[in-house]
Amino acid sequence: QVQLVESGGRLVQAGDSLRLSCATSGFTFSRYVMGWFRQAPGKERDFVAAVSWSGDKTRYADSVKGRFTIFRDNAKNTVYLRMNSLKPEDTAVYYCAASYESNWSSMGDSRVYSNWGQGTQVFVSS
């Protein structure tokens, strides 16, 4: 059974840092691109970041570039999102997702991700 379980979300203040984790099981983690998406209240789910199978390639949304870092540990079947300099507009439910898609240019598209976690809430107060 495929499982993705996010953790680490909580209430923080603007300027703080936070690290989200996504522990996975039930599939060959090292063969999947992993991504993070987020959804704010009343808005669509947006791409945040993606990391390639080996971790040698990453991609970020413009809104988080330079502040967020995605990385993975294939030995632990876990992907992480390090978030620095958090802003109130980063408030959202954050989801991790797995994709077997080989076209790296499509990794910002939620439709290429086949498996999703339940999400973890991040709230950034001003």
Side-chain angles (χ1 to χ4, degrees):
Q1 181 181 359
V2 174
Q3 285 191 317
L4 293 82
V5 180
E6 302 94 335
S7 62
R10 61 182 178 90
L11 170 64
V12 296
Q13 292 187 331
D16 284 353
S17 296
L18 201 58
R19 191 183 80 169
L20 305 182
S21 301
C22 174
T24 73
S25 61
F27 64 102
T28 306
F29 179 77
S30 61
R31 298 180 66 179
Y32 280 71
V33 170
M34 297 300 298
W36 284 95
F37 288 76
R38 67 186 181 185
Q39 187 167 19
K43 296 187 177 181
E44 295 185 350
R45 190 172 298 188
D46 291 330
F47 170 74
V48 175
V51 61
S52 62
W53 313 315
S54 63
D56 63 336
K57 291 190 293 186
T58 56
R59 179 175 173 178
Y60 297 93
D62 288 343
S63 59
V64 307
K65 204 171 292 183
R67 299 188 298 122
F68 290 12
T69 303
I70 186 172
F71 58 102
R72 65 192 295 162
D73 185 339
N74 285 350
K76 295 183 178 179
N77 294 337
T78 301
V79 61
Y80 304 92
L81 185 68
R82 178 69 178 176
M83 305 186 292
N84 294 331
S85 303
L86 282 162
K87 304 175 182 179
E89 51 263 44
D90 294 319
T91 294
V93 177
Y94 284 72
Y95 299 89
C96 70
S99 173
Y100 199 66
E101 173 63 49
S102 60
N103 183 1
W104 179 246
S105 64
S106 66
M107 286 303 105
D109 187 345
S110 62
R111 294 172 295 179
V112 305
Y113 291 83
S114 54
N115 302 100
W116 293 80
Q118 296 292 332
T120 186
Q121 174 73 56
V122 173
F123 188 89
V124 184
S125 65
S126 57

